[in-house]
Structures are given as structure tokens and as C-alpha cells.
Amino acid sequence: MAWNPRLEAEHLKSVHPAENPLNCYEVEKIKMSGQFGFMAKIGATPQAVAVLNDQPYLFTILIVVLVVLILQSVLIWFIHHATMKPEQKKKKKDPKDAKKPGGKPPAAR
């Protein structure tokens, strides 16, 4: 069954306040408030927005990790490209070896 934010909000309202990590009355306020309210528009749950508003360093860590992974991928590609043997590299085609247009293919001669 797919996740439904309305059912999640209704479930949080029905849970005893002592068991609810957010206050059961705060679910409606969290949706678009705070520094990370834009995350709700791209699919973050109210709980995720509340955590980001409470602990903004998590968002910074996420961005840093993504940047490091991208840089690591570029470094791995560069090492792969730089250490290829000459016979593994694609050879450039010379314009002299290009076939003349309009000629018959070898099998039709």
C-alpha cells in the first residue's frame, strides 16, 4: 500500500500525546513552516520537515555527502581514463580514410 500523508496525519492525531514524537496538535503547523518548509513541497513528510527545522546541520551533512560522492566519482573516472592502455583508447578516424559517398558497398561490386 502506498504511503498517504493524510492517513499519516490522522494516525498521529489519534495516537496518545505521550507516544507521539511530534505533539499531536503540531502536525498541521509543521507542514509549511520554518526554514525547511520548501521540503514539504517536494515530498518531505511533516516529521522530516520538523527534524530539519530542529537540526539544520543534517541538511548540511546531506549536501556535503552528495558533493563528496560526486567528486569521488569524477576522480575515479579520471583515474580510469588516465590509466587506460593505448590499445584500449578509441582511435580517432582520419579524414583521409573516410569512404567516398556514393560508392557501392564491397559486397555489391
Side-chain angles (χ1 to χ4, degrees):
M1 185 168 134
W3 176 79
N4 188 342
R6 290 183 186 159
L7 293 177
E8 182 80 18
E10 292 300 320
H11 171 71
L12 286 174
K13 287 179 183 177
S14 65
V15 174
H16 189 271
E19 298 173 2
N20 190 351
L22 303 169
N23 189 342
C24 65
Y25 301 105
E26 290 180 353
V27 173
E28 298 301 321
K29 288 191 260 180
I30 291 173
K31 285 186 180 176
M32 295 292 175
S33 65
Q35 182 180 4
F36 294 97
F38 71 94
M39 296 291 282
K41 294 178 183 176
I42 60 172
T45 64
Q47 294 84 0
V49 174
V51 169
L52 286 174
N53 284 329
D54 187 43
Q55 303 169 357
Y57 64 89
L58 291 176
F59 186 73
T60 305
I61 291 172
L62 171 69
I63 298 301
V64 168
V65 167
L66 289 174
V67 168
V68 167
L69 288 174
I70 290 169
L71 289 174
Q72 185 178 11
S73 298
V74 169
L75 178 67
I76 289 170
W77 173 83
F78 176 75
I79 290 171
H80 165 73
H81 183 71
T83 58
M84 283 176 41
K85 296 176 184 172
E87 56 269 6
Q88 290 174 325
K89 293 182 181 179
K90 289 184 180 178
K91 295 181 181 177
K92 296 179 182 176
K93 293 182 180 179
D94 291 332
K96 297 176 186 175
D97 295 337
K99 294 182 181 178
K100 294 180 182 177
K104 291 185 179 180
R109 290 185 191 167

